[in-house]
Every structure is written in structure tokens, then in C-alpha cells.
Amino acid sequence: MKKLIFSVVLIVMSVVSLNAQVYKGMGIKLGINESNVNSSIVYLNDLNNGQKYNTGFSAGIFREFDIYKDFKLIGYIGYTDKRRGGNLINAENKSVYETYDFKFISLELTGKWIPTKNAIQPYVLGGFGLDFFLSAGKSYPPELDKNYFLINRNKQLNAIVGGGVQFNLSPVSLFVEGVYVPHLTSLGINEGQEVENHTDINSFIIRTGIIF
């Protein structure tokens, strides 16, 4: 009987230990972004009298992998909503505020360098991201219902650079980070035309989350 109990306890401890290893380094990120949607379409730039930046949000999961000493590699997948806001002039020559929402599935591969081993750890991030276009929606009135943004590609490649602070609270860690995400490719472009139009998005992102 004692051997049976010992065997059961050993099996349970092994399963718990295995699950802990599986989830180690996984985490959740939530954030807001300020995005600037650039367009070279002439009438959009002429009519825009207001800001281009507007606030969107993002949420996703990630996994950290130990690579070498203080360096980790992070794989991330999530949902991102990037928005543009500004004023347009309608048919009555009145200024109206409009927003245009771009929705993406975002993949990121970043390196994370943590130079200290303290309970509070600053870190540096750098890498690349790929936004896969899902849909776009607009809030402006029907009389302004034009195709303001050229979208003929289903993805945009981005660079990622920034940093953050990690708070180690055993058995989990909390963090706050900020990154700048400039575009490397365009979401839309009509190459080979007499007048080349393009659409691209740059973002500042602030995120917080938990690491298991």
C-alpha cells in the first residue's frame, strides 16, 4: 500500500513539474497604440486638416526562449487594431472628424536583452513584426465615402525597437514596455503607375502583461 501511495505521489509530482516546464516563459500582453496611417493619395492629404494619430489597442500571447545568458528570443501572436483620426471637409465646407480602423493579426519575433539579475529588471527589445490585414472600417459620413487608402497587399513588414521594465514576483513576472514600430513595407502600393500611391502605418505601442 505504501509503495502504491508513493508511486501515485511520484506520478502527480512529475505531471505538475512537466506542466510547469510547458508553461514556463509563456505570457500575455495587452496594450494601446498611437498609429500614424500615411497615404500619398492627393485628395486625402489636401482635405486633412487635423491629426493623423489615433489610439488603437492590441492583445496577444507570447513565449520566451532562453538563448544565451541574458538574451532571450520572444515569439508573439495577437490581434491589433490601428486607427487613423483627422478632420475632413464635407460638401458644405464644414469640418467633420473621421476615423479609419485597420485590423490585423500580428506576428512578432524579437530579441530581449536583460543586463541585470535584480528583482526589477530593465530590458531592451529589437526585432521584426508582420501585420496580416483582416479588414478596415470607417466612421465618416456617406458623402465622404471614398477609397481614401490604397490597400492591395495583405501584410506589412515592420521593425520593432524599444524597451521596458520587468518586475519579478515569484512565481510570475509583470512588465511594462514601450516600442516604436516603423513600417518596412507598405500595406498598399500601385507600382509602375505614372503617379505612385501608397499606404503605410507607423506606431508607438505601450504594453503591459504577465510572464508565467
Side-chain angles (χ1 to χ4, degrees):
M1 186 66 179
K2 290 182 179 180
K3 290 183 178 180
L4 178 60
I5 294 175
F6 177 77
S7 299
V8 171
V9 171
L10 186 61
I11 292 172
V12 170
M13 291 179 62
S14 300
V15 171
V16 170
S17 176
L18 179 61
N19 285 335
Q21 291 299 318
V22 169
Y23 292 110
K24 183 180 179 180
M26 294 189 69
I28 300 171
K29 289 185 181 185
L30 302 173
I32 59 174
N33 65 75
E34 289 289 324
S35 296
N36 183 8
V37 183
N38 298 304
S39 175
S40 63
I41 298 177
V42 176
Y43 56 74
L44 173 63
N45 293 328
D46 288 345
L47 290 174
N48 176 48
N49 295 318
Q51 63 169 335
K52 291 183 179 180
Y53 282 92
N54 209 337
T55 304
F57 65 92
S58 62
I61 59 175
F62 66 92
R63 176 71 185 269
E64 289 188 349
F65 300 92
D66 294 324
I67 300 300
Y68 179 75
K69 291 184 178 179
D70 301 328
F71 184 79
K72 298 176 182 290
L73 195 64
I74 305 173
Y76 168 89
I77 181 171
Y79 171 82
T80 305
D81 177 51
K82 298 182 178 182
R83 303 179 181 183
R84 176 202 182 275
N87 295 311
L88 295 178
I89 306 301
N90 63 16
E92 287 76 33
N93 201 34
K94 294 181 180 180
S95 177
V96 293
Y97 189 80
E98 58 86 8
T99 59
Y100 207 108
D101 299 349
F102 296 82
K103 297 174 175 59
F104 301 93
I105 292 295
S106 298
L107 302 180
E108 296 178 5
L109 185 63
T110 54
K112 179 180 180 180
W113 178 55
I114 307 176
T116 67
K117 297 293 186 181
N118 302 323
I120 300 177
Q121 297 177 315
Y123 59 86
V124 178
L125 291 171
F128 298 94
L130 194 60
D131 287 336
F132 289 92
F133 178 72
L134 295 177
S135 65
K138 45 190 175 290
S139 67
Y140 46 79
E143 64 267 20
L144 297 176
D145 192 10
K146 298 180 180 179
N147 182 19
Y148 284 112
F149 297 99
L150 175 65
I151 304 173
N152 60 0
R153 296 182 174 181
N154 67 346
K155 55 186 175 293
Q156 177 178 284
L157 179 65
N158 308 304
I160 300 173
V161 59
V165 179
Q166 180 171 309
F167 305 90
N168 298 317
L169 309 170
S170 182
V172 300
S173 297
L174 305 178
F175 65 89
V176 178
E177 64 187 30
V179 294
Y180 176 55
V181 185
H183 76 280
L184 298 178
T185 62
S186 295
L187 189 60
I189 188 168
N190 61 342
E191 297 175 313
Q193 302 296 318
E194 184 177 351
V195 178
E196 183 176 289
N197 295 324
H198 64 85
T199 298
D200 43 64
I201 305 176
N202 301 316
S203 302
F204 294 96
I205 306 176
I206 297 175
R207 294 188 287 209
T208 186
I210 185 171
I211 307 172
F212 299 103

